[in-house]
């Protein structure tokens, strides 16, 4: 792969990040520096860390970064649970975004397996 932007896992993380950014625009102003900031940062870090790992040009280093990206995906789910519990998103929206996070994690796991097999 020439660029991290060619990776399907990064493309999925980008879509998730953009969806999170879109829904948080509807959150109350008082959440701007609380939940909105945290959920946007965790969703952005998934793709950021995938990109950083890709730039390491070493299978084992990249794999370690991907483990951190998978953690950011789980963190994003936790922030979504908070948004759900505070009635900031619907159950349907939560289910959709949670499924996206879980798909990201699954794709990250597949990429980790691939990299480990190459190491």
């Amino acid at each position: 792969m020439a660029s991290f932007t060619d990776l399907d896992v990064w493309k999925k993380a980008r879509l998730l990040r953009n969806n999170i950014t879109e829904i948080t625009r509807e959150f109350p102003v008082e959440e701007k520096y609380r939940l909105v900031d945290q959920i946007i940062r965790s969703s952005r870090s998934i793709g950021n860390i995938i990109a950083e790992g890709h730039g390491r040009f070493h299978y084992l280093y990249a794999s370690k970064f991907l483990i951190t990206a998978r953690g950011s995906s789980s963190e994003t789910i936790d922030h979504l649970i908070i948004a759900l519990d505070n009635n900031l998103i619907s159950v349907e929206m939560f289910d959709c975004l949670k499924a996206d996070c879980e798909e990201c994690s699954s794709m990250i796991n597949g990429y980790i397996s691939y990299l480990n097999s190459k190491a």
Side-chain angles (χ1 to χ4, degrees):
M1 296 264 170
S3 172
F4 66 87
T5 59
D6 295 328
L7 297 171
D8 288 338
V9 66
W10 180 85
K11 291 175 186 175
K12 182 64 180 179
R14 179 184 182 193
L15 180 64
L16 173 64
R17 176 192 72 214
N18 290 338
N19 290 339
I20 294 282
T21 299
E22 188 63 34
I23 64 132
T24 57
R25 288 187 175 129
E26 304 300 319
F27 283 21
V29 174
E30 64 267 14
E31 290 294 343
K32 182 176 181 179
Y33 297 108
R34 296 185 300 202
L35 183 58
V36 172
D37 182 58
Q38 289 186 328
I39 195 169
I40 285 177
R41 283 157 77 19
S42 67
S43 67
R44 284 180 179 175
S45 72
I46 300 166
N48 295 153
I49 296 168
I50 292 168
E52 186 175 357
H54 185 271
R56 296 297 170 148
F57 298 114
H58 189 277
Y59 298 120
L60 292 178
Y61 287 138
S63 181
K64 289 178 182 183
F65 277 86
L66 290 167
I67 292 167
T68 303
R70 188 177 57 205
S72 291
S73 180
S74 293
E75 180 184 355
T76 301
I77 292 172
D78 188 53
H79 294 313
L80 290 168
I81 291 168
I82 294 167
L84 178 66
D85 290 347
N86 286 282
N87 298 314
L88 300 173
I89 59 173
S90 67
V91 172
E92 295 79 17
M93 179 61 67
F94 170 78
D95 290 341
C96 179
L97 292 169
K98 181 178 180 253
D100 286 344
C101 287
E102 289 171 344
E103 185 176 353
C104 255
S105 292
S106 178
M107 292 175 79
I108 290 168
N109 287 338
Y111 192 33
I112 289 170
S113 295
Y114 169 77
L115 292 174
N116 288 341
S117 74
K118 293 291 187 182

